[in-house]
Every structure is written in structure tokens, then in C-alpha cells.
Amino acid sequence: MTTVESSPLGKPVSYGSTHDPSLLHPITRAPLRAALGIADALPFVGVDLWNAYELSWLDARGKPRVALAELRVPAASTNLIESKSLKLYLGSFAQTRLDSSDALRAQLVADLSAAAGSPVTVVLTSAQTAPPHEVLSGELIDDLPLDIHHYGPPRADFIAVDPERRVEETLVSHLLKSNCPVTGQPDWASLQIHYAGARLERDGLLRYLVSFREHAEFHEACVERIFVDLMARATPTRLSVYARYTRRGGIDINPYRCSPGMLLPGNPRTARQ
């Protein structure tokens, strides 16, 4: 069962506390991408980078341990993992005894890779050594003096370029907001766009990003929509789109999509995270 409707999202659930990989709910990416006109040959590479802040288990002597988990799910994986099911799954370790953090990491890799249908990488970090906040590099476009009246659905026709000016640059906005397609809860994000090609018109780009404000779509699909729309309207030679979403339920999701050949990102935890 890999549909949104069959997931635990938006439904009352019981919270178990012993390891249970059956709690993970994969959702097939193909139908979400078909709606964007994306076929089997993906126009991008990338990763869904998740940070989980509520992970605890018992060591061999029964003493609780905690860690932060960085999970990287390849964009080419068959499935994404529904976020509430991941929260429930991680919570199921709370009373589970494991010999070491390495044993925990191995179990996470096995379970998450099976759910995603592709190898998932896991890095565990001590809460004592969590990285400091960073600032997304790039030109901030949020303070442009604009009148805006459209908040959904997304309007790709807002995107425009100056064909006489060729640039390579990075643009940043903290104004991306969309809504969960099941619960209607708001999803807030900072967005970093790097591209090479005809210069993007800032006014149109900001209006386009704000047009997601009342739109209902998963984090990953929003980023893929932005990537596809920018490629179609601006035709850059290189493009990357990186969204850093604020956390919900102790987890933040940070999808990254880029042109083939570009490097995959670091994990710059921002002030909003």
C-alpha cells in the first residue's frame, strides 16, 4: 500500500516504543511526478535530506541514549517516506535495546532503504556536538517592493528572464510556504536557487514563489515543480533548487534537485531549523 490515503497522515494512531519497521509508509513517487510531466528519465539528480531530532533508544544495560539523525534518501528512489510514519518508526526505538549506536545505524539503514526502494545513508550525531546555525548563501530577494495578489495555484508564467544578460548566481528566499495535501497544515521553507544562464527577473521569481502559499503538495513535489518550471521557462544551462523546511514532529525535510553533474549539498542547519 503506497498511497497517501492509506498512510497514517492525519489519522489518530497509537505510539509504540519497540522497534517496528512496519510503521514506515512508502509513497510511490511516479504518480506525483507524472502530474509534473516527469517520466522515468528524470531531468534532475538530487536527494531528500531529513534531520530527525527526536531519536532515543536503550543501550545494552537499559540506559537511554539520544542522537540526531541525518537521513539521505536519493531522489531516484522508487518511493518517498511519509513523514508521520517516519516519526512513528523512529519513536518505536524508545524502549528498544541495542548493543551500540553502530547497531542502531545499521538497523536504520536496512529499514529505510527497504521502504525507499533505494540505499539510504544515515549519519548519527551526538546532541552535544550538533552543528551551529548557518546562513544560506546567495542574494536575498524577499525585500523587493512588490504588490502581490496571487497565492495559488503556482504560476510558472510569472517566471521571466533578461535574455541579454548571462549570469551565474545564487538567489535566496525565506518566503516559500505550501500546505500538506492531506492535513492542510502549513509547511514553511527557505529556498536557495543556483543557476547559470539568462538572468532571472527578481520580481517575477518572487511572485512565482509566493504563488505556492495556498498550494497543497508534499515538500519533495514542490521542489521538483520549481525545478521543472525554472528549466522550462528560464532554460538555464545548470540549475539547483534546495529547500530547507522547518521541522514538524521533530523532523525537517530538505529536498535538493539539480542538473546532472552538479554536486550534492551539505546540510546547513538554518536559524529557522
Side-chain angles (χ1 to χ4, degrees), residues 21 42 121:
L42 299 180
T121 61

Side-chain angles (χ1 to χ4, degrees), residues 52-55 57 66-70 123-127 129-131 269:
Y53 299 90
E54 299 177 1
L55 176 60
W57 69 102
V66 297
L68 310 182
E70 176 190 292
V123 175
L124 300 180
T125 304
S126 165
T129 57
R269 182 182 176 195

